[in-house]
Amino acid sequence: MNFEGLDPGLAEYAPAMHSALDPVLDAHLNPSLLQNVELDPEGVALEALPVQESVHIMEGVYSELHSVVAEVGVPVSVSHFDLHEEMLWVGSHGGHATSFFGPALERYSSFQVNGSDDIRQIQSLENGILFLTKNNLKYMARGGLIIFDYLLDESDDMHSLLLTDSSTLLVGGLQNHILEIDLNTVQETQKYAVETPGVTIMRQTNRFFFCGHTSGKISLRDLRTFKVEHEFDAFSGSLSDFDVHGNLLAACGFSSRLTGLACDRFLKVYDLRMMRAITPLQVHVDPAFLRFIPTYTSRLAIISQSGQCQFCEPTGLANPADIFHVNPVGPLLMTFDVSASKQALAFGDSEGCVHLWTDSPEPSFNPYSRETEFALPCLVDSLPPLDWSQDLLPLSLIPVPLTTDTLLSDWPAANSAPAPRLYLISGPNGGSRKGLRYQYSLQTLIILLLSSFLSAFSIFFFSGSPGDWGLDGQTPQPSSPRTILHYRRAPPVDAEILRTMKKVGFIGYAPNPRTRLRNQIPYRLKESDNEFDSFSQVTESPIGREEEPHLHMVSKKYRKVTIKYSKLGLEDFDFKHYNKTLFAGLEPHIPNAYCNCMIQVLYFLEPVRCLIQNHLCQKEFCLACELGFLFHMLDLSRGDPCQGSNFLRAFRTIPEASALGLILADSDEASGKGNLARLIQRWNRFILTQLHQDMQELEVPQAYRGAGGSFCSSGDSVIGQLFSCEMENCSLCRCGSETVRASSTLLFTLSYPEGSNSDKTGKNCDFAQVLKRSICLEQNTQAWCDNCEKYQPTIQTRNIRHLPDILVINCEVNSLKEADFWRMQAEVAFKMAMKKHSGEISKSKEFALADWKELGSPEGMLMCASIEELKNIWLPFSIRMKMTKNKGLDVCNWTDGDEMQWGPARAEEEHGVYVYDLMATVVHILDSRTGGSLVAHIKVGETYHQRKEGVTHQQWYLFNDFLIEPIDKHEAVQFDMNWKVPAILYYIKRNLNSKYNLNIKNPIEASVLLAEASLARKQRKTHTTFIPLMLNEMPQVGDLVGLDAEFVTLNEEEAELRSDGTKSTIKPSQMSVARITCVRGQGPNEGIPFIDDYISTQEQVVDYLTQYSGIKPGDLDAKISSKHLTTLKSTYLKLRFLIDIGVKFVGHGLQKDFRVINLMVPKDQVLDTVYLFHMPRKRMISLRFLAWYFLDLKIQGETHDSIEDARTALQLYRKYLELSKNGTEPESFHKVLKGLYEKGRKMDWKVPEPEGQTSPKNAAVFSSVLAL
């Protein structure tokens, strides 16, 4: 409420001009109000006083129901209907708050909020009420207890507050800024500068923040940035009140006159769709307050300070018959509010009286109110007296509520034992104990203990009496009882802190990763229980914890991530929230994207990444080529996610993949019916075999003249050199004949000992032993014997001739038998680690007094952390393999201690000895809610960090589709078999990168742009719509190329309708590129296309989108098409060459085009007319409207044509350079854009239909083609 321009007699009530009134009898008090009031000689009674009896209420018509006095003689400053309970809150000019319950206005609570300032605004929250005074914000419970008291700057003069969400609050006043306060931390999080000071009223819709200023202006601000989007100059004097509903804004205020400010009887009404004023509404009262009361219609309630109320439509005429009168006790109404249900109106007057008007006899303030908690009557006096000396007195005389919860008095026996008194002896630098003697409380001892670690004092604890320990100045006796120390182990330091830490001397500095709450460290109460491991987390919702207790085990970062789609698709989805690194994640919504984790593993193998990108062949669906294209995108990305749509498209066309059951149906993938662990292990074997076959083709492709050959000259492929292990398979028959065959394999499968599940004794079995057994496998089987000439039982053994550079292992943990084996071995390994460190600090050890000094040492803390990190670990970080002279193989676990003992160069110097380091683990996450998922732990090498971040170090990361997070190295080998099951392991030889040429030579040359034959059988030269580039036209760096693409739909969008009528996208439609057009951007042939390819597809097209794409059925069929038909790979190579050469693409909506084509284009090579002709926080403008407005062209008449669109985009870019003077005059261009948006709103963004449609889309092209 703005008090400027009101009756001068109310000057004493204006909070901006005078201080708040004291709660004494007011001079303007109506004498009739005091007839039934007994005034205390020392003050005024504050009990509620009924003014008049209830009257009969006519249904549907507002009438006065009740009136009460909140505070006699003290004006009401604000009223507010509680949004959660059936209560009405009233604040006075004396800083007193009073609440009334229900329509009968029964007093509920009354308390003092501020001793000197008036209450200016009230806001109800779920747990309490917010009160705003001049420079104080107080949050109090409904009973009056203070939750927090936030003091603002003394120079502030606050008038309004706005709750933007459940925990964020905006506070404004007469100063030139608005504060944003976080209610959870009770801290100021943001301070927004306000160009026009004096924000006294704030409102919010789903589009804007509305700020009403004392100058008479109303500003519309952006919800995210709080910047001014629009401003209405409503009144020349001052603003009194305004309200917003739907697309309408109504305001009342004061206008400047010669004699001063006068109340304006014209309400200003604004249309928020057009952002302009409509016809003002003339009313018959002097408006001071107004509110929309949308019941059947959007009617307005206009209230004057004299008590007149008028209802009218904001777009109609005001009728004098719709006026009713409120009978205030005082001369003026001071406040007005409407309940959430629109059934009740509350008025507060200058004499402290509150009037409730309703439209029904039994109104409700809220549609759904919760029950109000009332104070229980005291029952102490009614209880019988109890004599504690009577042993037979029944305790049932004491009433106890029936409850099934644990009572507070049910202490554990350990906590019920009497605690000994603790004494402290301190001596400087650990000196004599004959020093000071103190007796402390437990809190003081904790503080002294913590401070001792940072000081030069030694602290010792004793239990018992001072005489037992010689604290009277004598030395403790040997028979003294020993002290048992119980401490809580400190949690390990966050891996992100260690990764980003910079050391200055012995002090490390790192930015706060903000992964934990401030000043709170989580700890476990049950350290001995196995189920409470370091990864246990409590789910967000307690529902179903007892029914499915395993759900709480899955850490949040390991759960399946999904993309939330909105109207803008992926544009407003915050991928940075899941990935704060510069590495690229992969999107999971594409069919068969379960292999994303394995694609990341192959990418972070440096030799594989380089060698795959150097490969190029003429095969249409080559997985090696498509994987190289995907790796190139991952190289270019700076943290933005990529998608492997083209790779998975080629993957689905390979018959072997379908035969192996690697192609999942959408329903199976969504429901999680397939066994993902088995699936990814089969996929691992398949992809290595397929890449090996693809890279064995040594012929230089003729279609791509710059492809180059393979890296190896022999018949083996590079994949074979990296992964292949040469073996001898020996078959020994019982007749004595032996057959030896040479073979090779790309990976190994773990073979576990027989009867491992029945062995409960905890027998130790190293991973190296199991691996050796799996590599040098020996088994009995039926085989053909040439000597016996029949199938005979034979003993099959396997000997290793050559070890691979990359050791790939499928874990094959597909049943409870293997899972129990991993779990048992991890427990045995943990027990052995505990025995190894039995002489050091452990959580169950009893300490002598001399061990106290070691407790505070860094070695002791690191020791505890290392023991915690050994839980659920059986897998070694390194293994050592040695080839023996008798074709045997020795395998053992290799640790850092072994390396220090044998020397770091031992493995390289000694022939046949190799050390393999763990590089990646792929795990299966068991989660019944989502069907499970696959994630990867990858040790990212120095070369990747050097390219992305400019630092040289190694770090383990978790890759969960588009979620990427650094982790501690022990987390990569910790497997809690209840939810985290190992599937694939990758070990690499040390110094592997030095053995291979890691230079990437782009295999794509300019010859891909030259003329090529069409796949269509019926294509004729007369149908050619483009002219290929000549040798003298080859593009250079910075050349302009107009680009446009058209698409067809392969799978429809999957969406659901919510209960409120809104649509939620579950899975977006799957698009496939159908036509790609590139137009020359300079030279004598500017505007002539040099690429106009129709893309052949083997997948079923659901919708050709002919109206928007111009693609018709049959255009993509090689048998009947008359277009220039080609493969996606061929056109993809053309675009990749243009990107690599450095051209700049000009188009409209290129972001979506490149996304569907599956290309990663640097931002400085994209000139998108969508963003060139766009104002912030405004709608995107179509190419058709831009062409009509700027170029006077009418395009896209019946269907879209990519040639026409690409050429139009080029012309628009030339127009942009002309209007903005090559970007040197942004202000003048901003005026042009403003005129564009004004014209668009007037035209409703529709281009007027032409009188005679003569589409020039092909005429200019054909004429130019014929001329050439």
Side-chain angles (χ1 to χ4, degrees):
M1 172 66 190
N2 187 4
F3 291 94
E4 296 185 13
L6 299 182
D7 189 344
L10 291 176
E12 62 269 30
Y13 300 143
M17 303 173 65
H18 292 276
S19 60
L21 299 178
D22 296 326
V24 296
L25 192 61
D26 188 73
H28 298 86
L29 186 64
N30 190 349
S32 63
L33 186 63
L34 305 178
Q35 294 177 2
N36 298 324
V37 179
E38 295 181 3
L39 297 179
D40 188 18
E42 300 179 358
V44 182
L46 301 181
E47 286 76 9
L49 176 66
V51 177
Q52 61 184 21
E53 296 295 330
S54 302
V55 297
H56 175 69
I57 302 297
M58 184 182 299
E59 193 75 29
V61 178
Y62 285 103
S63 303
E64 186 170 4
L65 183 64
H66 282 293
S67 294
V68 294
V69 172
E71 204 169 356
V72 178
V74 182
V76 176
S77 60
V78 63
S79 61
H80 173 73
F81 282 100
D82 199 310
L83 300 178
H84 301 276
E85 300 183 10
E86 292 289 312
M87 289 167 48
L88 173 64
W89 289 88
V90 173
S92 71
H93 275 261
H96 201 85
T98 307
S99 62
F100 301 96
F101 175 74
L105 296 184
E106 301 174 1
R107 186 182 294 269
Y108 179 79
S109 61
S110 181
F111 46 84
Q112 193 74 19
V113 176
N114 195 291
S116 58
D117 296 329
D118 59 324
I119 300 176
R120 301 189 173 178
Q121 194 159 345
I122 301 176
Q123 177 64 50
S124 58
L125 300 177
E126 184 176 359
N127 298 322
I129 308 296
L130 281 170
F131 298 95
L132 179 68
T133 59
K134 180 180 178 181
N135 49 21
N136 177 254
L137 179 66
K138 187 170 290 188
Y139 187 28
M140 307 181 73
R142 287 174 171 81
L145 295 178
I146 299 177
I147 300 177
F148 68 74
D149 189 356
Y150 185 75
L151 296 177
L152 302 169
D153 197 321
E154 293 183 359
S155 61
D156 289 343
D157 190 0
M158 296 300 180
H159 278 267
S160 60
L161 62 82
L162 177 65
L163 189 69
T164 59
D165 54 46
S166 60
S167 61
T168 307
L169 188 74
L170 294 178
V171 183
L174 300 182
Q175 56 280 348
N176 59 354
H177 61 263
I178 293 179
L179 303 180
E180 183 182 78
I181 299 176
D182 190 340
L183 297 180
N184 294 330
T185 60
V186 198
Q187 291 182 351
E188 177 186 324
T189 59
Q190 192 72 265
K191 179 182 287 187
Y192 299 107
V194 180
E195 297 79 5
T196 306
V199 179
T200 57
I201 306 172
M202 287 191 289
R203 302 276 190 265
Q204 179 185 4
T205 64
N206 56 359
R207 293 178 59 193
F208 301 107
F209 289 127
F210 298 85
C211 298
H213 302 267
T214 55
S215 60
K217 295 182 179 181
I218 302 175
S219 59
L220 283 64
R221 298 178 176 272
D222 185 79
L223 294 175
R224 292 179 296 178
T225 63
F226 210 73
K227 293 183 179 179
V228 177
E229 294 291 331
H230 206 83
E231 192 173 66
F232 298 133
D233 194 355
F235 297 95
S236 59
S238 181
L239 183 69
S240 179
D241 199 2
F242 77 91
D243 199 12
V244 183
H245 175 66
N247 296 315
L248 294 178
L249 183 148
C252 62
F254 302 90
S255 299
S256 298
R257 299 288 187 266
L258 295 177
T259 57
L261 298 181
C263 186
D264 198 331
R265 286 203 172 188
F266 283 93
L267 300 182
K268 300 298 180 65
V269 184
Y270 297 90
D271 189 341
L272 299 180
R273 294 170 297 184
M274 309 298 293
M275 291 299 175
R276 60 181 178 85
I278 59 178
T279 304
L281 179 63
Q282 184 179 9
V283 295
H284 301 87
V285 300
D286 293 332
F289 311 95
L290 62 84
R291 290 289 189 279
F292 279 100
I293 306 181
T295 50
Y296 300 104
T297 59
S298 299
R299 56 177 175 170
L300 269 172
I302 303 104
I303 315 297
S304 71
Q305 284 201 305
S306 59
Q308 294 177 315
C309 180
Q310 181 174 7
F311 287 96
C312 61
E313 293 292 330
T315 56
L317 296 177
N319 188 357
D322 295 333
I323 298 177
F324 65 87
H325 294 267
V326 180
N327 298 319
V329 177
L332 296 172
L333 291 180
M334 304 298 294
T335 181
F336 168 64
D337 195 24
V338 182
S339 67
S341 64
K342 314 303 178 186
Q343 298 180 13
L345 312 178
F347 304 90
D349 60 27
S350 57
E351 293 293 347
C353 191
V354 181
H355 309 267
L356 180 67
W357 286 62
T358 64
D359 62 352
S360 62
E362 297 180 356
S364 61
F365 296 163
N366 298 303
Y368 304 100
S369 296
R370 67 186 182 192
E371 292 186 4
T372 301
E373 182 179 358
F374 293 93
L376 297 176
C378 184
L379 303 177
V380 176
D381 297 335
S382 61
L383 295 177
L386 298 179
D387 187 3
W388 293 104
S389 61
Q390 298 293 333
D391 296 337
L392 300 179
L393 191 69
L395 297 179
S396 59
L397 294 176
I398 305 175
V400 178
L402 180 61
T403 177
T404 58
D405 298 334
T406 304
L407 298 178
L408 184 62
S409 59
D410 292 341
W411 285 87
N415 295 346
S416 301
R421 291 181 297 173
L422 297 180
Y423 293 85
L424 171 70
I425 300 179
S426 63
N429 299 320
S432 173
R433 295 168 186 160
K434 295 182 180 180
L436 304 176
R437 183 179 71 187
Y438 306 99
Q439 184 174 0
Y440 289 99
S441 64
L442 182 59
Q443 292 83 355
T444 308
L445 287 173
I446 293 175
I447 296 174
L448 291 174
L449 175 61
L450 294 177
S451 63
S452 69
F453 292 151
L454 305 177
S455 66
F457 283 84
S458 301
I459 296 181
F460 305 92
F461 288 92
F462 303 88
S463 63
S465 63
D468 296 338
W469 285 91
L471 295 182
D472 53 355
Q474 303 297 325
T475 306
Q477 301 299 320
S479 60
S480 301
R482 63 181 174 182
T483 301
I484 299 177
L485 169 65
H486 297 280
Y487 67 95
R488 183 176 299 122
R489 181 169 57 255
V493 181
D494 195 343
E496 177 65 16
I497 296 179
L498 296 177
R499 189 182 74 84
T500 58
M501 181 181 294
K502 296 181 180 179
K503 292 185 178 180
V504 179
F506 60 90
I507 301 176
Y509 298 88
N512 186 2
R514 301 188 184 278
T515 56
R516 291 178 176 173
L517 296 177
R518 183 180 179 87
N519 296 331
Q520 294 188 22
I521 298 297
Y523 60 88
R524 299 183 302 278
L525 295 177
K526 299 182 179 179
E527 305 254 3
S528 60
D529 293 343
N530 292 331
E531 62 268 21
F532 290 88
D533 56 5
S534 59
F535 303 103
S536 299
Q537 290 190 4
V538 180
T539 54
E540 291 80 353
S541 173
I543 299 176
R545 286 184 192 162
E546 296 181 357
E547 294 80 0
E548 298 177 289
H550 66 281
L551 292 184
H552 75 277
M553 298 181 183
V554 182
S555 177
K556 192 172 184 179
K557 61 186 176 183
Y558 285 95
R559 298 172 192 167
K560 190 174 184 179
V561 291
T562 56
I563 301 176
K564 304 297 183 183
Y565 298 94
S566 65
K567 295 180 180 179
L568 301 178
L570 295 178
E571 293 183 12
D572 57 346
F573 186 77
D574 186 14
F575 285 103
K576 293 295 182 182
H577 174 73
Y578 297 89
N579 178 19
K580 294 180 173 58
T581 70
L582 295 179
F583 302 111
L586 293 172
E587 296 179 11
H589 68 276
I590 311 168
N592 299 289
Y594 64 86
C595 58
N596 282 345
C597 57
M598 273 304 305
I599 293 176
Q600 295 280 18
V601 172
L602 296 175
Y603 170 72
F604 284 102
L605 288 167
E606 184 74 4
V608 176
R609 182 189 73 88
C610 299
L611 299 173
I612 288 293
Q613 290 194 59
N614 282 286
H615 170 80
L616 187 63
C617 66
Q618 60 182 355
K619 191 176 174 183
E620 179 180 359
F621 297 110
C622 173
L623 289 186
C625 293
E626 297 295 344
L627 198 59
F629 299 154
L630 182 55
F631 286 174
H632 179 75
M633 294 173 59
L634 295 176
D635 279 344
L636 292 181
S637 175
R638 304 289 294 177
D640 297 325
C642 302
Q643 55 177 351
S645 56
N646 287 355
F647 171 77
L648 295 175
R649 179 174 180 260
F651 170 67
R652 291 192 297 267
T653 61
I654 297 179
E656 291 85 350
S658 179
L660 292 172
L662 302 179
I663 310 298
L664 286 185
D666 293 344
S667 58
D668 294 341
E669 190 171 6
S671 60
K673 292 182 179 179
N675 189 326
L676 291 179
R678 292 183 179 178
L679 193 66
I680 196 63
Q681 291 176 91
R682 291 202 304 264
W683 191 94
N684 184 32
R685 184 183 298 273
F686 163 78
I687 193 66
L688 293 179
T689 305
Q690 195 68 32
L691 293 177
H692 176 60
Q693 295 176 358
D694 290 344
M695 300 191 70
Q696 272 184 327
E697 301 175 359
L698 302 179
E699 297 180 0
V700 179
Q702 298 178 359
Y704 318 120
R705 295 178 177 83
S710 177
F711 265 66
C712 57
S713 57
S714 64
D716 196 9
S717 70
V718 185
I719 297 296
Q721 295 180 15
L722 285 167
F723 296 92
S724 179
C725 178
E726 298 180 6
M727 304 177 302
E728 288 183 355
N729 293 321
C730 300
S731 178
L732 180 62
C733 181
R734 61 183 179 179
C735 68
S737 63
E738 184 178 5
T739 304
V740 179
R741 295 184 179 88
S743 63
S744 63
T745 181
L746 298 175
L747 57 83
F748 293 98
T749 300
L750 285 185
S751 177
Y752 300 97
E754 296 293 337
S756 58
N757 60 334
S758 60
D759 188 5
K760 303 298 183 182
T761 60
K763 181 180 178 182
N764 180 27
C765 186
D766 287 340
F767 176 81
Q769 300 176 10
V770 178
L771 181 60
K772 178 182 177 181
R773 183 179 186 275
S774 304
I775 295 177
C776 303
L777 189 62
E778 181 175 339
Q779 57 185 356
N780 297 324
T781 183
Q782 290 281 342
W784 178 262
C785 178
D786 293 334
N787 186 26
C788 301
E789 296 184 350
K790 62 180 179 179
Y791 284 96
Q792 292 279 23
T794 59
I795 300 176
Q796 307 239 344
T797 58
R798 192 160 60 188
N799 297 322
I800 303 301
R801 296 172 53 186
H802 175 72
L803 288 172
D805 292 337
I806 301 176
L807 181 64
V808 184
I809 305 170
N810 281 350
C811 295
E812 288 293 334
V813 185
N814 298 324
S815 65
L816 291 177
K817 175 183 176 182
E818 292 85 5
D820 290 340
F821 178 78
W822 276 78
R823 184 182 294 107
M824 182 180 64
Q825 295 304 321
E827 294 175 357
V828 172
F830 180 70
K831 293 178 181 178
M832 293 182 62
M834 295 290 292
K835 291 180 181 179
K836 181 179 179 182
H837 301 287
S838 60
E840 303 177 14
I841 299 177
S842 65
K843 64 180 180 180
S844 61
K845 183 180 176 183
E846 297 181 357
F847 291 90
L849 294 177
D851 296 328
W852 276 92
K853 187 174 181 180
E854 297 181 2
L855 177 62
S857 64
E859 291 79 5
M861 301 301 292
L862 294 176
M863 195 11 246
C864 297
S866 63
I867 292 180
E868 177 67 20
E869 291 169 351
L870 292 178
K871 284 187 176 181
N872 298 319
I873 291 181
W874 179 55
L875 194 66
F877 285 102
S878 300
I879 54 177
R880 177 177 175 268
M881 292 188 178
K882 180 181 179 181
M883 303 282 296
T884 61
K885 295 181 179 179
N886 56 354
K887 299 182 181 179
L889 181 66
D890 290 338
V891 184
C892 63
N893 295 348
W894 187 261
T895 61
D896 295 338
D898 298 331
E899 185 171 346
M900 295 180 64
Q901 179 181 358
W902 294 95
R906 173 86 176 183
E908 297 296 333
E909 293 175 358
E910 185 177 353
H911 179 69
V913 178
Y914 305 98
V915 175
Y916 288 84
D917 294 322
L918 183 65
M919 177 265 175
T921 60
V922 177
V923 297
H924 180 206
I925 304 301
L926 304 178
D927 193 344
S928 60
R929 297 169 300 174
T930 60
S933 60
L934 295 167
V935 302
H937 307 103
I938 302 176
K939 184 180 181 181
V940 179
E942 296 180 355
T943 55
Y944 292 89
H945 285 99
Q946 179 66 33
R947 284 193 301 270
K948 295 284 186 180
E949 300 179 349
V951 294
T952 55
H953 73 103
Q954 298 180 352
Q955 172 66 44
W956 281 91
Y957 289 89
L958 168 68
F959 287 82
N960 183 6
D961 289 331
F962 54 82
L963 184 150
I964 303 176
E965 184 175 325
I967 59 173
D968 184 76
K969 69 174 185 178
H970 296 90
E971 190 172 340
V973 294
Q974 283 180 315
F975 303 112
D976 185 345
M977 305 306 292
N978 294 319
W979 63 273
K980 186 181 179 184
V981 182
I984 301 173
L985 310 175
Y986 269 69
Y987 282 90
I988 61 174
K989 280 184 181 178
R990 288 194 178 173
N991 303 321
L992 173 67
N993 295 348
S994 60
K995 298 175 57 177
Y996 292 89
N997 183 6
L998 302 181
N999 295 324
I1000 298 178
K1001 187 177 181 181
N1002 192 351
I1004 307 174
E1005 293 188 354
S1007 56
V1008 297
L1009 295 177
L1010 301 180
E1012 63 176 349
S1014 172
L1015 299 178
R1017 302 176 183 177
K1018 296 185 178 181
Q1019 192 212 9
R1020 297 186 295 274
K1021 293 183 178 180
T1022 55
H1023 290 163
T1024 301
T1025 56
F1026 69 100
I1027 302 174
L1029 291 175
M1030 305 298 178
L1031 291 178
N1032 57 354
E1033 292 183 302
M1034 286 300 167
Q1036 304 298 324
V1037 179
D1039 285 353
L1040 298 181
V1041 172
L1043 175 69
D1044 190 67
E1046 308 293 349
F1047 310 101
V1048 294
T1049 302
L1050 300 181
N1051 288 326
E1052 293 288 356
E1053 176 186 82
E1054 296 180 13
E1056 63 179 2
L1057 282 177
R1058 299 191 182 99
S1059 58
D1060 57 356
T1062 59
K1063 186 178 74 169
S1064 173
T1065 301
I1066 301 175
K1067 190 174 182 181
S1069 60
Q1070 184 185 356
M1071 311 289 289
S1072 177
V1073 62
R1075 183 184 181 185
I1076 296 177
T1077 300
C1078 290
V1079 176
R1080 294 171 174 87
Q1082 56 276 316
N1085 297 326
E1086 179 180 350
I1088 305 300
F1090 62 93
I1091 296 176
D1092 187 24
D1093 293 345
Y1094 285 76
I1095 309 302
S1096 175
T1097 178
Q1098 296 183 0
E1099 297 180 289
Q1100 183 179 3
V1101 177
V1102 175
D1103 190 354
Y1104 283 91
L1105 305 173
T1106 305
Q1107 181 181 357
Y1108 307 102
S1109 66
I1111 306 297
K1112 299 178 181 179
D1115 287 348
L1116 308 182
D1117 190 347
K1119 298 179 180 179
I1120 60 177
S1121 177
S1122 60
K1123 311 296 182 181
H1124 184 270
L1125 204 61
T1126 184
T1127 62
L1128 175 61
K1129 182 178 180 180
S1130 174
T1131 308
Y1132 189 93
L1133 289 172
K1134 298 175 186 178
L1135 297 179
R1136 261 288 308 273
F1137 176 79
L1138 294 175
I1139 295 171
D1140 297 340
I1141 206 64
V1143 304
K1144 292 186 176 181
F1145 293 96
V1146 182
H1148 193 81
L1150 291 180
Q1151 182 177 0
K1152 179 182 178 182
D1153 293 354
F1154 288 137
R1155 176 179 174 82
V1156 179
I1157 300 172
N1158 203 12
L1159 275 170
M1160 180 69 69
V1161 185
K1163 294 182 179 180
D1164 57 349
Q1165 292 183 234
V1166 179
L1167 300 171
D1168 200 333
T1169 54
V1170 163
Y1171 299 103
L1172 293 180
F1173 296 93
H1174 175 248
M1175 294 182 68
R1177 293 169 295 279
K1178 302 286 186 181
R1179 61 165 288 169
M1180 302 293 184
I1181 305 177
S1182 66
L1183 180 65
R1184 186 167 189 250
F1185 191 86
L1186 289 175
W1188 171 80
Y1189 185 82
F1190 287 107
L1191 306 177
D1192 198 20
L1193 293 177
K1194 296 182 180 179
I1195 63 173
Q1196 301 174 354
E1198 298 177 357
T1199 60
H1200 290 217
D1201 185 271
S1202 58
I1203 296 177
E1204 181 184 51
D1205 294 349
R1207 188 188 303 111
T1208 304
L1210 272 174
Q1211 296 177 15
L1212 281 173
Y1213 177 67
R1214 302 290 187 191
K1215 192 69 176 179
Y1216 164 78
L1217 295 178
E1218 175 188 343
L1219 294 174
S1220 63
K1221 307 297 183 183
N1222 292 329
T1224 59
E1225 296 184 6
E1227 295 181 358
S1228 61
F1229 185 68
H1230 182 77
K1231 296 179 181 179
V1232 175
L1233 289 183
K1234 195 172 182 180
L1236 167 66
Y1237 276 88
E1238 290 178 358
K1239 185 68 174 178
R1241 284 191 290 266
K1242 292 179 181 179
M1243 302 289 296
D1244 198 16
W1245 304 103
K1246 294 181 180 179
V1247 176
E1249 293 296 330
E1251 297 179 358
Q1253 180 82 19
T1254 56
S1255 175
K1257 62 174 68 175
N1258 292 325
V1261 178
F1262 290 148
S1263 61
S1264 302
V1265 170
L1266 294 176
L1268 290 173

